[in-house]
Amino acid sequence: MAILDSKGRLFGKINLLDLGAVLVILLVVVGIFIFPGTSGSVAQVGAKTVPIEVDLVVRGLNVRDPQQLFKQGFTKGGKTNIIIRNQAYGQMGIKSIQQLDRMLTIGQPDGSVKELPDPRKNNFSTDFILTLEDNAKVTKDGPVLGNGNTKVKIGMPFELEGFNYNFNASVIDIRLQDK
């Protein structure tokens, strides 16, 4: 009896094309379940979760009365909603808010330059430095906020939203707290 007959069957019983298809399916199943590879998640298994502080700078926020902004929940100890890359992240705690004075650089008669407070009263532009706090996972790529899909890096824009405000800020510092 021949190993391969005229119809392409092995020992007259098994078709070689069917055997090849069964082997390909078996290899795919083994590849999926035994060697799954890396997942698409940014978070690493066993990554350490630590408290994080993120400093943001807000430049040129046009607001008539900054105190009115603070009366509606945008205060130290409060929370603000965060949107990163057009994806809602959730809420972060507000650790501190520092309102910056508006300054002008004025040339002096001797050729030097001084930075002096802006004397204009009708300037509705305000600058802030905000410190937000939350927990982050520390991965090899840097800190990842919340549920493991939002990296935070210096220079990233954050959109802050609350009861009576919606504005953008930029990350200027990140501090990880060791437990």
Side-chain angles (χ1 to χ4, degrees), residues 4 16 37 59 95 102 144:
L4 197 60
L16 282 179
R59 290 280 185 194
K95 184 172 183 179
R102 296 292 294 182
V144 177

Side-chain angles (χ1 to χ4, degrees), residues 54-59 61 69 73-75 78-85 87 89-97 128-133 156-171:
V54 179
D55 287 341
L56 305 170
V57 65
V58 180
R59 290 280 185 194
L61 177 62
L69 182 67
F74 189 68
T75 59
K79 292 203 177 276
T80 184
N81 295 314
I82 304 293
I83 301 166
I84 303 172
R85 295 187 187 116
Q87 298 293 320
Y89 162 70
Q91 290 189 331
M92 288 182 78
I94 301 172
K95 184 172 183 179
S96 68
I97 302 172
F128 294 103
I129 291 182
L130 304 172
T131 301
L132 303 180
E133 56 187 357
M156 283 182 61
F158 275 37
E159 184 177 344
L160 288 77
E161 181 179 26
F163 177 76
N164 62 343
Y165 61 90
N166 184 317
F167 57 87
N168 292 323
S170 182
V171 176

Side-chain angles (χ1 to χ4, degrees), residues 12-33:
K13 299 190 185 237
I14 301 172
N15 189 334
L16 282 179
L17 290 177
D18 292 339
L19 180 65
V22 168
L23 286 175
V24 167
I25 292 171
L26 183 65
L27 288 173
V28 167
V29 169
V30 167
I32 289 173
F33 292 110

